[in-house]
Amino acid sequence: MSLSSSSAASLPRMRMFDKIPSAEEFISEIEPLNVPAVFSGCIKNWKAFSQWNPSNGGLDYLQEKAGSSTVEAMLSQQAPVFYGDIRSHERVSLPFSTFIGYCKDNLCDRCDGEDSFLESKKHTLTESHTGQFEFPEQIYLAQVPILNIECTEKVQLECLREDVEMPPFLESKTISSINLWMNSAQSRSSTHYDPHHNLLCIVSGCKQAVVLWPPSACPFLYPRPIYGEASNHSTLDLDEPNFCAHPRAEHSDEYSQKIILHGGDALFIPEGWYHQVDSETLTIAVNFWWRSDMMSGLSDHMDSYYLRRILRRLIDKEMNQLLHLPSLVDDKIDGNQSDQPNTRVPGGVQLRQMSVLHETDQLAVSALQKLVSLVHERVNPNQPVNSTPANNLAVEGKDESNEIMKPDLFNLKDDPVALLLWTLQPLALRCVLLAMAHNFPRTLEALILLVLSPVGAEVLTRKFEEMDQLIGEEDRSQFFQIFYGVFDNQIAAMDALLNGKESFARQLSVASGIQECAGPVFGSTF
């Protein structure tokens, strides 16, 4: 067992235990911290540990004990990576004895010095007339139930239950499921988190690399939309990430920790921790899932309240980052940071994409600070934040669209967010929004989904149109990819802007009707 980490010192660090804790120690000192923990040699007294090892006749034992059972397996043409998204794999049923046969063939090949797993194989997997599958390395027994208290009819390998002992520190827990994980060839499970606490126990073989990220690293891993299928999975290809589409992923390694697990070891993975698991050929594992005390104690009627509290916490954290912006402005005025692509400010906060703001663009830096402050004030109305008033921002150059648009706007003085957006030149606004996407993604999400008024939506979309005329197609595509990439549900963000524009148009139509009888309702507002 070995551990490596590239995470910052302030992040929660994995804990290592050579001694198995008692139930009291686990409940009071380990589980509440919500930090991964490794228990070396935790399951060496299991019957499974001594009987299932393929190198010691374990495959014959499993075939005799459970070979007649039918199991459901993952089948993926993208093997050795097995993605949780249903578009990337299918579930197939096969006799457990058939899978054991694949493992035996692979074991024989290894003994003969052959490598049964060829990464270059990209053929279509088909089922032959004998019921056997070609390219069995594309099959993975993932989450095959040994125990499932919520759906007993789904249990497929109950006959193996007696070989698996309950770790003593889990005796007081209500285990929701126990599952078998077994691969005949090298495999990788894609990056994901589980909504339950997890104890992963290695019965045989080796988990060559278990990479973990805390829940706070979520923005860097680009999870799938929360309303969609496999929402607990990352969209990243960590081997070949696309930093243009996922720029924050460049920093994902800074939050990661890696552990190598051998037979007999157990790893506690708290709920919400992202993990990616690489398994060597013929690795067998068993895991236990149970609900955390926090999730068990949540009442349905409190969900909306908790959601608001969590949103406030996230906004507050981003505001703490914003407090470091004045030093960034000073550095840029002094020209100290002008040649550096990444700007690091006190407190370890790294602001990306600020290099796109030229030294003379103090307006854009100040506007970023003010815009984040305004969103914070709207979400947290009882927590005033001192910042530069929007009407004190000087605009360099003349925005020719002012003369066209000014008569068509409502009173912007009553809408500081819309006013701030209006005062910015299109390219300066582009820089501000990119900086928000990289450094304050949740604030940008709140701006579009919660704060932006119909007038603000009209102003922002018109600025987008002006921006389109000033930048090339590639830059335009990259900007909107980064901008909308912040949102778990990109369609919802687009709908919010379109609905705002439509609402503005309706209000304008109504106001124009009144104007015919009552005179002008618009005026010079700034």
Side-chain angles (χ1 to χ4, degrees), residues 76-123:
S76 173
Q77 296 182 34
Q78 301 180 51
V81 181
F82 290 83
Y83 293 95
D85 181 12
I86 59 175
R87 301 174 183 86
S88 303
H89 75 274
E90 58 179 301
R91 306 293 295 193
V92 296
S93 295
L94 74 163
F96 188 49
S97 59
T98 299
F99 182 79
I100 293 297
Y102 297 152
C103 294
K104 287 183 176 181
D105 292 342
N106 208 344
L107 184 62
C108 291
D109 289 340
R110 293 176 67 189
C111 293
D112 293 338
E114 300 178 11
D115 184 3
S116 65
F117 180 79
L118 299 176
E119 292 188 12
S120 60
K121 285 185 177 180
K122 299 297 181 182
H123 305 288

Side-chain angles (χ1 to χ4, degrees), residues 116-187:
S116 65
F117 180 79
L118 299 176
E119 292 188 12
S120 60
K121 285 185 177 180
K122 299 297 181 182
H123 305 288
T124 302
L125 191 149
T126 59
E127 187 175 4
S128 69
H129 66 279
T130 63
Q132 303 247 337
F133 290 94
E134 300 177 25
F135 314 118
E137 65 274 2
Q138 296 180 343
I139 293 180
Y140 177 35
L141 293 191
Q143 196 180 327
V144 180
I146 298 174
L147 169 74
N148 190 315
I149 63 172
E150 297 178 353
C151 191
T152 56
E153 61 268 20
K154 289 186 177 181
V155 175
Q156 300 166 11
L157 292 175
E158 186 176 8
C159 57
L160 298 181
R161 179 67 183 88
E162 63 182 17
D163 293 354
V164 176
E165 298 181 22
M166 181 74 68
F169 53 86
L170 295 185
E171 289 177 351
S172 63
K173 300 297 179 183
T174 301
I175 302 299
S176 59
S177 64
I178 303 174
N179 306 286
L180 175 73
W181 306 76
M182 187 172 178
N183 54 288
S184 65
Q186 296 174 5
S187 67

Side-chain angles (χ1 to χ4, degrees), residues 222 242-248 250 352-353 355-356 430 433-435 437-438 444 464 467-468 471-486 490:
Y222 292 87
N242 182 344
F243 293 134
C244 291
H246 306 114
R248 295 191 302 275
E250 191 172 353
R352 296 190 46 76
Q353 292 295 321
S355 59
V356 298
R430 173 176 175 266
L433 294 177
L434 285 174
H438 286 289
L444 178 57
F464 283 167
M467 190 188 308
D468 289 346
I471 60 178
E473 182 177 351
E474 183 177 350
D475 288 340
R476 180 167 59 251
S477 175
Q478 183 177 1
F479 167 76
F480 285 111
Q481 196 170 37
I482 294 173
F483 177 82
Y484 286 112
V486 166
Q490 298 182 15

Side-chain angles (χ1 to χ4, degrees), residues 389-436:
N391 55 10
N392 287 343
L393 294 174
V395 182
E396 288 190 13
K398 182 180 179 181
D399 189 342
E400 296 180 356
S401 64
N402 282 5
E403 299 301 322
I404 300 174
M405 190 172 176
K406 185 182 297 184
D408 297 332
L409 287 177
F410 293 98
N411 194 331
L412 287 178
K413 291 181 180 178
D414 297 332
D415 193 333
V417 172
L419 175 59
L420 178 57
L421 297 176
W422 171 251
T423 59
L424 287 170
Q425 296 283 353
L427 294 184
L429 178 60
R430 173 176 175 266
C431 294
V432 169
L433 294 177
L434 285 174
M436 288 188 73

Side-chain angles (χ1 to χ4, degrees), residues 249-269:
E250 191 172 353
H251 297 280
S252 62
D253 283 348
E254 298 173 16
Y255 292 80
S256 69
Q257 301 177 64
K258 182 184 295 185
I259 185 73
I260 300 175
L261 300 173
H262 298 281
D265 295 337
L267 170 64
F268 168 54
I269 307 176

